[in-house]
Amino acid sequence: MSNVAESLKRLLELAGARSAALVDSNSGMVLSHAGSDPHLEITAAANTEVVRAQLKSIATLGSDDAIDDILITLSTQYDIVRPLAANPAIFLYLAMDKNKSNLAMARYKVAECEGQLEL
């Protein structure tokens, strides 16, 4: 998982980045993280429910489409959730300060991070 830890640390170099994590949506467990979010476990569990609901919706529709990413916009923060193409039950999570971040760059970097992960 050293590649994962390094990849998450690189995400934190983005302007406005607060925390980054790799999460298993089957269990809600944080597999690896970077940053100092005191509520990361709770946030991971909540985003697990979002990913599960979206995957269930796609399956119910009989769609063969895949989730690129899920954007949650809060009043002060952007949350980017990106299920891995190789295993959609595992997702990358990045929390960004809304006033200090470049959302387009963050989405690009999270996608790039996914492509470089070695699990």
Side-chain angles (χ1 to χ4, degrees), residues 44-67:
N47 284 318
T48 288
E49 294 302 320
V50 172
V51 170
R52 285 180 186 166
Q54 190 61 45
L55 291 172
K56 182 178 178 181
S57 175
I58 289 170
T60 299
L61 293 170
S63 175
D64 60 354
D65 216 349
I67 303 168

Side-chain angles (χ1 to χ4, degrees), residues 22 67 82-92 113-115 117 119:
L22 185 68
I67 303 168
R82 185 178 182 90
L84 304 185
N87 184 352
I90 298 176
F91 63 89
L92 284 166
C113 176
E114 178 203 359
L117 287 180
L119 298 177

